[in-house]
Amino acid sequence: MAPKGDNVVVSNIKLERIFSMKGGKGEASYANNSQAQAIHARSMLHLLKETLDSVQLSSPDVPFVVVDLGCSSGSNTIYIVDVIIKHITKRYEASGIDPPEFSAFFSDLPSNDFNTLFQLLPPLANYGAGSMEECLAADNHRSYFAAGVPGSFYRRLFPSRSIDLFHSAFSLHWLSQVPESVVDKRSTAYNKGRVFIHGAEECTAKAYKKQYQTDLASFLRARSKEMKKGGSMFLVCLGRTSVDPTDQGGPGILFGTHFQDAWDDLLQEGLITSDKRDTFNIPVYASSLQDFKEVVEADGSFTINKLEIFKGGSPLVVNQPDDAAEVGRALANSCRSVAGVLVDAHIGEKLSGELFSRVEKRGTSHAKELLEKLQFYHIVASLSFS
């Protein structure tokens, strides 16, 4: 649960202590606002399956271990793990080998709502009642042992050489922290007047890029210790098509326009100070392919099998595109489901509610433009370890 009160500067807190997607099953929860991620993930299944075909199959006497990093609290992670295990099972069967037992680890920060996630897990199939094939065929049952692993994926999470496959979608664009220089008034990178780097000064964007590449290097270093030889990773994170890091594309529209303007509204209405606004920054960086590639190549542990920009589409899923009020609600709920915990910690839940009501109002006024222009691109990377 996020700290309450209005004297908390999120930038100076270890983000991993408080950060998570919004838990529970309410209107603004991640569980009820991750339909876009589900659509985008399904559109990339053919790329995921290419990666699964490259994983070295281990002995059937040893469990095959899958990890979803940044699993959050919705059903998307359960769907993807199911796809992975069914595909790997078919590979074993095609090779004339009985499939092994499967283990799946769902990992996210300690503040993640694991309770909601585990309530969504189907019951375990009865291994003692028959073969693995019968377990896999059992309707509404899972064919793997499940466990939650709390912790930051920018550090070690698992024993050495223990994981066959890492999957991470829509998570690696979240930084481990807002760069300190961005909230330091004495720094040229101080992001005065903004809550995101979209449209910021070049030196601010450079600080974000450095933090992103430092974090990604830490992520790769940890995975290179944990992965079995012949293992693979399938990674999806927000990307951009522009070479200019101050042009964050879709995330820039999400956090750098109406969300930004809502902060300015609170300031103009005397509800917050300029310092309160200027010390809040969204810890997200939409990377270019080059930004990503530089880190992977510098690490040297992984072979890049595929690295591309994939057009995911809009983060707003609405039933009635002509209903401006529904579009406004979708924008506010989309922002709140991913950043609401940070806003609550920074200005308190009451002012946070005021902020997102203004996001909704502004989104309603610009509904048509949002549906036309708010598009996400993703970096899709398939890496193997040998």
Side-chain angles (χ1 to χ4, degrees), residues 231-344:
S232 293
M233 280 201 292
F234 184 77
L235 309 175
V236 179
C237 59
L238 287 176
R240 67 175 196 273
T241 54
S242 172
V243 295
D244 178 7
T246 66
D247 178 3
Q248 287 283 291
I253 295 175
L254 187 67
F255 292 123
T257 56
H258 306 305
F259 180 75
Q260 170 72 57
D261 292 340
W263 284 88
D264 296 339
D265 289 343
L266 295 187
L267 175 61
Q268 291 166 11
E269 295 167 30
L271 296 175
I272 60 171
T273 64
S274 58
D275 277 355
K276 182 59 67 175
R277 177 198 60 192
D278 296 346
T279 50
F280 181 88
N281 285 269
I282 293 289
V284 162
Y285 183 79
S287 168
S288 68
L289 282 178
Q290 187 60 31
D291 293 342
F292 189 96
K293 187 178 181 181
E294 285 172 2
V295 181
V296 178
E297 291 182 341
D299 174 83
S301 300
F302 296 91
T303 300
I304 300 175
N305 300 317
K306 185 179 287 291
L307 180 60
E308 63 181 64
I309 286 280
F310 188 91
K311 185 176 181 179
S314 174
L316 305 182
V317 177
V318 293
N319 295 319
Q320 300 291 334
D322 293 332
D323 184 348
E326 185 185 356
V327 175
R329 283 194 301 275
L331 177 69
N333 286 336
S334 181
C335 287
R336 195 167 200 170
S337 69
V338 298
V341 168
L342 297 179
V343 177
D344 289 353

Side-chain angles (χ1 to χ4, degrees), residues 15 19-21 30 37 44 67-73 76-77 107-109 112 151-154 167-177 212 215-216 219 223 234-239 283-286 292 338 376 378-379:
L15 272 179
F19 181 55
S20 68
M21 302 295 99
Y30 184 81
Q37 289 91 330
M44 290 181 261
V67 176
D68 190 28
L69 296 168
C71 62
S72 193
S73 54
N76 292 345
T77 182
S107 182
D108 212 315
L109 295 176
N112 183 58
S152 170
F153 55 38
Y154 293 125
H167 173 275
S168 181
F170 318 122
S171 298
L172 271 170
H173 45 262
W174 288 100
L175 306 178
S176 66
Q177 65 178 67
Y212 170 80
D215 286 344
L216 182 57
F219 176 91
R223 305 294 84 76
F234 184 77
L235 309 175
V236 179
C237 59
L238 287 176
V284 162
Y285 183 79
F292 189 96
V338 298
F376 277 2
H378 302 292
I379 286 181

Side-chain angles (χ1 to χ4, degrees), residues 26-27 50 109 124-125 138 157 159 172 186 189 199 247 249 252 254 281 283 288 295 355 360 365-366 380:
E27 182 184 357
E50 287 178 11
L109 295 176
L124 180 66
L157 292 166
L172 271 170
R186 301 164 297 178
D247 178 3
L254 187 67
N281 285 269
S288 68
V295 181
L355 178 83
E360 179 176 342
S365 299
H366 297 82
V380 180

Side-chain angles (χ1 to χ4, degrees), residues 13 28 74 91 112 153 155 165-166 176 207 213 226 253 303:
I13 299 175
R91 283 193 58 205
N112 183 58
F153 55 38
R155 294 197 301 273
L165 178 79
F166 282 107
S176 66
Q213 291 192 316
E226 298 163 345
I253 295 175
T303 300

